[in-house]
């Protein structure tokens, strides 16, 4: 059974930092594209970042220069380092795993990803 387990969420003030982790169980993430999505209150889920098996990354314009996606294949875990957080970053953050090695142009589409975590809440206060 495949499980993606997020951790690291919490409440911070504007300008602060958080590091989210996503540990995978029952599924080797070293050869697949992984992603992070978020869903702000009352809004639709949106793509934040993705990382291909070769380490290639993509980011939503709203987080470029502030967020960094990475992976540690030895720990079967991916990360999202979030710096300079803003109130508009407040959302439930979800980890996602694809079947494919490269997400390419579909990285921001939720249908690209077959496995999802339960989410971790990030709240940024002004």
């Amino acid at each position: 059974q495949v499980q993606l387990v997020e951790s690291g969420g919490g409440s911070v003030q504007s300008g602060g930092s958080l590091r989210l982790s996503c540990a995978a169980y029952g599924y080797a993430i070293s050869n697949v594209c992984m992603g992070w999505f978020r869903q702000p209150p009352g809004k639709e889920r949106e793509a934040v970042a993705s990382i291909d098996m070769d380490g290639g990354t993509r980011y939503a314009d709203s987080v470029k220069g502030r967020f960094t996606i990475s992976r540690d294949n030895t720990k079967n875990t991916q990360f999202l380092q979030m710096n300079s957080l803003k109130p508009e970053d407040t959302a439930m953050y979800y980890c996602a795993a694809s079947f494919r090695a490269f997400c390419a142009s579909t990285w921001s589409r939720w249908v690209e990803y077959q496995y999802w975590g339960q989410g971790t809440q990030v709240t940024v206060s002004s």
Side-chain angles (χ1 to χ4, degrees):
Q1 184 178 358
V2 177
Q3 275 191 303
L4 301 179
V5 181
E6 302 98 335
S7 61
S11 297
V12 295
Q13 290 192 327
S14 182
S17 298
L18 285 172
R19 189 192 195 206
L20 305 184
S21 298
C22 171
Y25 301 93
Y27 191 66
I29 71 168
S30 58
N31 294 321
V32 298
C33 171
M34 298 289 293
W36 286 97
F37 283 69
R38 66 185 182 186
Q39 187 164 15
K43 297 184 179 181
E44 293 187 352
R45 193 172 297 192
E46 60 186 25
V48 175
S50 75
I51 183 166
D52 290 334
M53 67 162 290
D54 64 353
T57 58
R58 302 170 188 85
Y59 296 93
D61 288 343
S62 59
V63 306
K64 279 181 183 176
R66 299 188 298 122
F67 290 12
T68 302
I69 188 172
S70 62
R71 63 200 299 164
D72 184 339
N73 292 333
T74 65
K75 297 181 179 179
N76 216 34
T77 300
Q78 73 157 347
F79 305 96
L80 186 68
Q81 178 66 46
M82 305 186 295
N83 298 329
S84 302
L85 282 162
K86 305 175 181 180
E88 50 263 45
D89 294 318
T90 294
M92 184 70 79
Y93 282 72
Y94 297 91
C95 168
S98 173
F99 282 156
R100 304 200 297 166
F102 300 93
C103 290
S105 61
T106 57
W107 77 274
S108 62
R109 299 179 61 192
W110 66 268
V111 294
E112 167 67 49
Y113 304 89
Q114 286 71 47
Y115 298 116
W116 292 82
Q118 293 299 307
T120 185
Q121 178 67 38
V122 171
T123 303
V124 185
S125 58
S126 57

